[in-house]
Amino acid sequence: MEYFAQQAINAIQLGSIYALIALGYSLVYGVLSMMNFAHGDVFMVGAFACLLLVSIFPVPFIVALLAVMVITALLGVLIERVAYRPLRNAPKVSAIITALGCGLVIQNTTLSLSPYPRPMPRLFESVPFEFAGVTMNTLQLFIIGVSAGLMVALDFVIRKTDWGIALRATSCDRTTVPLMGVPVNRVISITFAVGGTLAGAAGVLYSQAYPVVGASMGALIGWKAFVAAVIGGIGNVRGAVLGGYILGAVEVATVVALPSTWRDLIAYSLLLVILIFKPHGLLGSPVQQKV
Amino acid sequence: MSALRNFGSSLAACRWAMPVLAVSVMLVAVIHQQFGLFNGYVEFVLITAGINIILCASLNLVNGYMGEFSVGHAGFMAVGAYAAGLLAVKVLPGATPVWAFPLVVVFGGLVAAFIGFLLALLSFKTRGDYLAIITLAFLMIVKSAMENIPFTGGPRGLLGIERLTTLPQTAAWVIITLWVIRNLVYSKFGRAITAIREDELAAGAMGVRTREAKILAFVVSSFFGGVAGSLFAHQLQFINPATFDIIKSTDILVMVYIGGVASLTGSVLGAVLVTLLAQVLQPLGTWRAVVMPLTLVFLMLFRPRGLLGLREFTWFLPGRELLGRIKEKLS
Amino acid sequence: MKLPLILASVLSVAVLAGCGKKAADSSSAVRIGLNVELTGELPAVGASSKNAVELHVAQINAAGGITIGGKKVPLELVIGDNGAKADQAAATAQRLLSQENVLVMVGPNASSCAIPASEIAESLKAPMISPWSTNPKTTVNAQTGKSKTYVLRGCFTDLFQAGVLAKFTLTDLKAKRAAVLFDVASEAPNGQANLYKETFEKLGGVISSFETYTTGDRDFSAQLTKIKASNPDVIFLPVYYSDVPLITQQARQLGITAQFVGSDAWSSPEIVKLGGAALESAYFCNHYSTEIATPAAKKFMADYEAKYGHAPDDVAALSYDSVGFMVKAIEAAGVADREAVRVALASIPSYEGVTGAMHFTPGSGDPVKSAVILQIKGGKFVWVANATP
């Protein structure tokens, strides 16, 4: 029983990370109908930024976390400005390819600058404790808590603030929205910034839980988070969160029951099955196509 | 009139150009096989270029001509490579005789074609981005399946494949691939495929048999992807699932988009350029992997259709097509 | 536009012409090819190997070069990167042996690269020595089961290593129950794990748990929880240095107190930098130790430290010896010819290097060598015991 509870905590922790990153994918897809394949590498840059920051300025953990979130927000906006905005009206394929290319450029530049995986210093003093026979540590709780907090904050922002309304409006109909006086370009930039912030936070949290930072982190985790976003229904914020936790649970459950090499197989097969029966993801809604 | 005579003679020249080119390529390949024109490394690069041409042209059929976005091409390559490799190593007793090798390659292609057929069925319900995701899922599933089935050697790969891919064999398959795809594209089905790219709903409304066209495109594309994989397996003599990942698919995409979408000449150009660049840029080390995607990004920003997008070298066009275009110019 | 087509054709012709020309060069220098993991998953391994080989070549050239047929000829090193990937290793081997026309090839080190490269070397009839690959398949023909003619290694094999570690676990650590966790997707860990299990059980031990993960995994809690439940005294981790820190840290966080034992894949000093407290007092098997050094080894260590600023690890020492052995064979052959070098290689019974004596038995590419057991104490590798075959 304790064993399953322990694995459940792992699943929730992993799911939180996936959810944070998946949110970035969904937000961008919502406003631009485009899959931002460079997002996983923003996550990786977040981890590296944290490493770099603390090796130069010994700041407390919260300061580092907030600083990294700002940095990755700016990175997200930068990518959008440089690579996606010129292609706003080009065929979608070009934008996707550019996204892939950007992601690879970021990943391989980091790899060239830091070929060796690097250790992440412990910024958060994790204290193991027992609760109902289950060994947990405070870091896990922190990660789950912070992620949940960020997601709740995002949900609030989307539903209650002006920017959130503008975001949802832009997702619905990007061409008419400017007529209503909404600064579409700024909304899109803010979307990328928010996505980047969440990914950066995920990067810092993940690298505390697994304190080895390498350039290929983005590809590994980013693609999984993308799958999570699609499972939940890409473009749908709640779907991204749901997808993240589902994927986390599936991955941990797979490793528990089967050899860990089956993990990818089960995850992607699940994706395929869900897409066959619900082509727009679990919470996604079919897009009407006007002829 | 002299203008007509000029066109006539150029038409005649064009009709002969491709077959002559094909024969001379085969001749060079056979001479090399017998007398060793090139050293081992150049031969290796040429064979790699040939395999890349096949991959690029076959992906161009689905991504370029049909306008879908498939990122799973490395999956077909993997299926073909494993099918051919397993047949040669585990099923056939002893060494594979040279005459049997084309059959092994065809087998690899057929297995991949079958998987392509399944994927085509899936593509009926989904469009655009979701198809891209499905092809991605398919790629990962193939890779993961290869890792988990002990018969395929698991994650450490399949060893002991013989060195059967030679320059003449590769050249022959390149010519066959380009010829088949060219004829397909300029046929009735080819026009259906192009119609799907332009506007699938309108095409369906006009009576174009979109389902058959999609099946044909995917099956042909995956067949040649599998052929390329079989050749690859017998060149490297060792395959493992890690080779056929999203990076490999991205490499093939880079070739297609650099060379030009919906253009066979573009496929050849893209494949050859990328193969050569990969070798030439070796001294850069890891920075090579930055230069390639950066080139791709710049290309997308300034020349999104690729270098030769939607344009075809006149030598490639079949006679009837050429005649039609000349009639257009004259009228 | 015609322009891109013209550009492409010009580029291709230029490159192909360049390709052809390189092969024709025949200076009097003897060229040795180096096929190592400079980029990719194991850059520390490649860097060590390259450093050691460059050091040795520089030392030989400083003394005037190697002696062939009475004349002193300089040594030239051609370096290729295999990115720790199998297909790139094969391509690099092909390039070094056919295009650059090196006489012999040193490397690759990682078994997953060494095996495909060895196929190429064998088919091109070029002598190759892998300094660090311990997997038996590198020197054995997969189809016939017989030893390859042209491929050697500079280190002991996993079979020997597994035996040493299994015995160490039972007799020295007095542990009857061992759990194993390894990367099922990688050649060397796989071989080591399976051979350890076989030997350990044969010697009377019990394998309480045999868990796997895949390359790139970060979270081992599922496997470690299962291991914890099986109550082992020792956890055997035959995995590469980049994975060890995460595994050991997570194990300790889960409250596992068992002793960690590793294989030679741990040997990079990076492991202590990444690992921290969880690695304290873990044991592993290695090819040489800085503490029991012979005078030749001490000199090598001093030279290496002077040139590169840190002590050499086992990959460096083995690479240094591999080059030395090849050079001795080339000198014995008297001509820069691959076949003559192969014959000479078979005729040298023993070579005294910085990692100890290497004896080759006829018909086998695997030298008979001793191993050492080291322990990680205070962030350093401390010698514990020797293990002779």
Side-chain angles (χ1 to χ4, degrees):
Chain A
M1 196 57 234
E2 296 85 52
Y3 177 62
F4 289 112
Q6 202 132 30
Q7 297 303 354
I9 306 273
N10 283 333
I12 298 178
Q13 180 186 284
L14 192 60
S16 307
I17 304 284
Y18 284 151
L20 284 177
I21 307 174
L23 279 168
Y25 284 115
S26 271
L27 286 170
V28 168
Y29 191 82
V31 283
L32 279 183
S33 294
M34 157 197 161
M35 294 184 269
N36 179 14
F37 286 135
H39 193 59
D41 297 293
V42 173
F43 159 79
M44 181 264 292
V45 170
F48 268 95
C50 183
L51 183 62
L52 205 59
L53 196 66
V54 294
S55 54
I56 304 178
F57 312 105
V59 292
F61 181 54
I62 295 293
V63 175
L65 181 62
L66 291 172
V68 168
M69 282 164 76
V70 169
I71 294 174
T72 46
L74 291 173
L75 179 65
V77 174
L78 180 71
I79 297 177
E80 194 266 327
R81 277 302 190 81
V82 167
Y84 304 154
R85 189 171 293 187
L87 293 172
R88 192 72 66 78
N89 295 317
K92 249 199 295 181
V93 166
S94 308
I96 299 180
I97 307 256
T98 312
L100 264 173
C102 274
L104 285 172
V105 168
I106 297 176
Q107 183 181 327
N108 290 318
T109 310
T110 314
L111 187 62
S112 302
L113 294 173
S114 166
Y116 298 68
R118 290 177 189 279
M120 178 62 120
R122 282 229 168 266
L123 297 172
F124 182 88
E125 278 319 309
S126 177
V127 178
F129 63 92
E130 285 249 339
F131 178 75
V134 179
T135 320
M136 295 190 283
N137 55 58
T138 43
L139 180 62
Q140 285 175 316
L141 289 182
F142 183 76
I143 292 177
I144 297 174
V146 168
S147 313
L150 285 171
M151 287 185 249
V152 165
L154 182 71
D155 194 62
F156 174 80
V157 162
I158 289 185
R159 279 189 305 127
K160 294 284 165 65
T161 65
D162 281 348
W163 170 75
I165 297 176
L167 172 74
R168 283 185 288 144
T170 317
S171 311
C172 276
D173 190 342
R174 189 153 45 103
T175 30
T176 318
V177 152
L179 298 175
M180 307 295 153
V182 176
V184 171
N185 278 346
R186 203 179 305 165
V187 169
I188 293 178
S189 292
I190 294 179
T191 311
F192 272 87
V194 169
T197 304
L198 294 172
V204 173
L205 293 173
Y206 186 81
S207 60
Q208 283 300 306
Y210 307 111
V212 175
V213 176
S216 55
M217 270 169 80
L220 287 170
I221 307 291
W223 283 110
K224 288 292 174 57
F226 176 69
V227 169
V230 175
I231 286 179
I234 195 161
N236 184 309
V237 165
R238 300 213 170 143
V241 174
L242 178 66
Y245 284 111
I246 290 181
L247 191 65
V250 165
E251 284 211 349
V252 171
T254 312
V255 178
V256 166
L258 298 162
S260 84
T261 41
W262 285 74
R263 205 188 37 196
D264 281 1
L265 189 61
I266 303 284
Y268 284 101
S269 303
L270 178 72
L271 172 68
L272 204 61
V273 164
I274 289 182
L275 282 183
I276 292 176
F277 291 108
K278 285 210 115 216
H280 297 276
L282 289 173
L283 292 182
S285 45
V287 174
Q288 306 291 28
Q289 199 178 354
K290 276 217 173 119
V291 184
Chain B
M1 291 180 284
S2 66
L4 193 57
R5 215 179 301 133
N6 281 340
F7 276 117
S9 57
S10 58
L11 169 63
C14 288
R15 291 280 310 272
W16 286 112
M18 267 295 112
V20 165
L21 194 61
V23 168
S24 37
V25 164
M26 282 303 299
L27 218 60
V28 167
V30 171
I31 293 177
H32 161 76
Q33 188 67 5
Q34 293 291 77
F35 302 111
L37 274 180
F38 315 110
N39 67 41
Y41 176 61
V42 174
E43 183 197 41
F44 185 82
V45 173
L46 286 174
I47 293 179
T48 309
I51 293 176
N52 285 339
I53 292 177
I54 300 176
L55 283 170
C56 191
S58 53
L59 183 61
N60 217 336
L61 186 60
V62 168
N63 275 23
Y65 288 104
M66 201 161 78
E68 298 287 358
F69 190 63
S70 163
V71 289
H73 212 59
F76 297 124
M77 190 185 174
V79 170
Y82 269 98
L86 287 170
L87 181 68
V89 172
K90 303 244 173 144
V91 178
L92 290 180
T96 319
V98 181
W99 58 261
F101 182 52
L103 298 175
V104 171
V105 173
V106 167
F107 175 74
L110 286 174
V111 177
F114 174 68
I115 305 287
F117 175 70
L118 296 176
L119 206 61
L121 293 178
L122 282 176
S123 79
F124 292 157
K125 267 180 106 182
T126 56
R127 294 204 182 107
D129 298 331
Y130 286 95
L131 186 63
I133 297 171
I134 285 188
T135 53
L136 175 70
F138 153 73
L139 169 66
M140 299 295 196
I141 290 176
V142 165
K143 172 166 176 270
S144 213
M146 294 305 159
E147 280 174 356
N148 286 303
I149 302 176
F151 183 61
T152 66
R156 279 136 60 226
L158 188 64
L159 260 184
I161 309 177
E162 292 152 53
R163 191 84 187 284
L164 287 169
T165 308
T166 58
L167 201 55
Q169 301 251 12
T170 318
W173 277 107
V174 168
I175 293 173
I176 293 175
T177 309
L178 291 175
W179 188 75
V180 167
I181 295 185
R182 184 206 75 169
N183 286 346
L184 180 68
V185 166
Y186 289 106
S187 73
K188 180 181 71 170
F189 271 121
R191 299 193 200 287
I193 290 172
T194 318
I196 294 176
R197 176 183 80 219
E198 295 302 324
D199 192 331
E200 188 174 346
L201 280 170
M206 297 286 286
V208 170
R209 303 170 71 171
T210 52
R211 292 203 164 186
E212 275 87 344
K214 277 187 175 174
I215 291 181
L216 194 66
F218 269 106
V219 166
V220 171
S221 166
S222 51
F223 175 78
F224 285 112
V227 162
S230 316
L231 292 171
F232 177 77
H234 286 87
Q235 176 203 26
L236 234 44
Q237 298 181 266
F238 168 73
I239 47 174
N240 59 0
T243 322
F244 305 108
D245 59 357
I246 186 76
I247 305 288
K248 189 89 190 161
S249 252
T250 314
D251 285 345
I252 310 175
L253 276 173
V254 168
M255 287 186 242
V256 168
Y257 284 97
I258 282 185
V261 295
S263 162
L264 284 174
T265 330
S267 305
V268 174
L269 180 65
V272 170
L273 256 180
V274 169
T275 312
L276 290 176
L277 271 176
Q279 299 300 325
V280 161
L281 293 179
Q282 280 259 354
L284 286 180
T286 34
W287 291 102
R288 178 166 47 121
V290 177
V291 168
M292 300 286 262
L294 202 60
T295 318
L296 188 65
V297 172
F298 277 122
L299 212 63
M300 281 299 117
L301 288 174
F302 299 113
R303 213 181 158 81
R305 291 268 187 239
L307 287 173
L308 280 177
L310 293 173
R311 291 139 60 80
E312 196 69 82
F313 217 25
T314 36
W315 285 2
F316 263 161
L317 298 173
R320 206 177 25 191
E321 180 81 17
L322 206 52
L323 206 55
R325 292 194 186 191
I326 290 174
K327 278 197 184 142
E328 258 180 57
K329 276 211 185 115
L330 287 179
S331 62
Chain C
M1 265 202 306
K2 288 259 171 69
L3 187 60
L5 201 55
I6 297 175
L7 268 173
S9 346
V10 167
L11 181 65
S12 341
V13 168
V15 172
L16 273 175
C19 282
K21 234 190 287 174
K22 266 192 224 171
D25 182 62
S26 57
S27 62
S28 58
V30 167
R31 309 179 73 182
I32 296 188
L34 185 62
N35 186 340
V36 280
E37 303 74 13
L38 294 175
T39 57
E41 296 283 314
L42 302 168
V45 169
S48 274
S49 203
K50 172 168 164 293
N51 286 345
V53 171
E54 282 184 332
L55 174 66
H56 205 158
V57 167
Q59 286 175 338
I60 293 178
N61 281 338
I66 76 174
T67 319
I68 295 190
K71 281 196 308 168
K72 277 214 173 239
V73 168
L75 261 186
E76 197 184 311
L77 191 62
V78 184
I79 304 183
D81 172 29
N82 62 45
K85 282 207 176 124
D87 48 339
Q88 215 176 317
T92 308
Q94 188 67 261
R95 183 169 66 90
L96 288 172
L97 292 170
S98 306
Q99 170 81 350
E100 304 283 352
N101 265 326
V102 297
L103 183 61
V104 298
M105 184 165 73
V106 176
N109 291 302
S111 297
S112 52
C113 295
I115 297 175
S118 69
E119 305 272 343
I120 306 258
E122 186 78 358
S123 65
L124 288 176
K125 298 200 181 354
M128 167 186 144
I129 182 166
S130 170
W132 197 59
S133 166
T134 49
N135 191 297
K137 287 194 220 160
T138 308
T139 53
V140 171
N141 188 316
Q143 277 164 328
T144 63
K146 289 206 293 225
S147 228
K148 289 182 184 146
T149 340
Y150 292 86
V151 182
L152 305 169
R153 71 176 93 229
C155 55
F156 50 67
T157 63
D158 282 334
L159 189 55
F160 173 66
Q161 187 180 181
V164 164
L165 285 166
K167 241 192 293 173
F168 179 75
T169 316
L170 275 170
T171 32
D172 293 66
L173 296 180
K174 306 232 183 325
K176 276 246 145 54
R177 297 176 65 84
V180 184
L181 175 61
F182 65 102
D183 179 351
V184 75
S186 190
E187 203 56 72
N190 232 296
Q192 289 162 358
N194 283 308
L195 288 168
Y196 180 86
K197 175 167 186 272
E198 257 180 61
T199 327
F200 194 69
E201 287 180 333
K202 226 191 302 184
L203 291 174
V206 170
I207 297 283
S208 68
S209 184
F210 197 68
E211 295 295 324
T212 67
Y213 68 92
T214 330
T215 324
D217 277 7
R218 296 304 189 86
D219 189 281
F220 309 97
S221 43
Q223 296 95 326
L224 286 170
T225 318
K226 277 192 247 182
I227 288 180
K228 181 179 178 188
S230 78
N231 232 342
D233 304 311
V234 153
I235 304 185
F236 180 51
L237 296 172
V239 299
Y240 283 114
Y241 72 88
S242 35
D243 292 339
V244 178
L246 286 173
I247 299 177
T248 49
Q249 279 166 5
Q250 287 173 23
R252 291 287 181 246
Q253 272 173 358
L254 277 173
I256 298 179
T257 51
Q259 174 74 44
F260 295 125
V261 173
S263 68
D264 73 310
W266 282 33
S267 62
S268 167
E270 290 283 316
I271 202 180
V272 210
K273 271 194 244 167
L274 294 170
L279 279 178
E280 197 59 23
S281 80
Y283 293 98
F284 68 100
C285 181
N286 203 353
H287 300 269
Y288 97 123
S289 162
T290 53
E291 295 177 47
I292 51 158
T294 60
K298 286 210 171 71
K299 179 174 183 304
F300 160 67
M301 280 155 48
D303 292 339
Y304 189 96
E305 182 129 19
K307 187 163 181 185
Y308 298 112
H310 56 261
D313 61 5
D314 63 334
V315 179
L318 287 167
S319 305
Y320 191 85
D321 279 349
S322 302
V323 172
F325 187 62
M326 270 299 180
V327 164
K328 185 166 176 189
I330 299 174
E331 290 188 327
V335 280
D337 171 69
R338 287 177 180 166
E339 200 54 43
V341 174
R342 178 191 80 78
V343 170
L345 277 170
S347 71
I348 301 177
S350 171
Y351 175 77
E352 194 68 38
V354 303
T355 55
M358 290 199 313
H359 310 291
F360 283 94
T361 50
S364 162
D366 304 331
V368 175
K369 293 190 79 172
S370 350
V372 292
I373 307 270
L374 302 178
Q375 190 182 31
I376 300 180
K377 261 189 147 53
K380 290 196 189 311
F381 297 163
V382 171
W383 174 83
V384 171
N386 263 358
T388 44

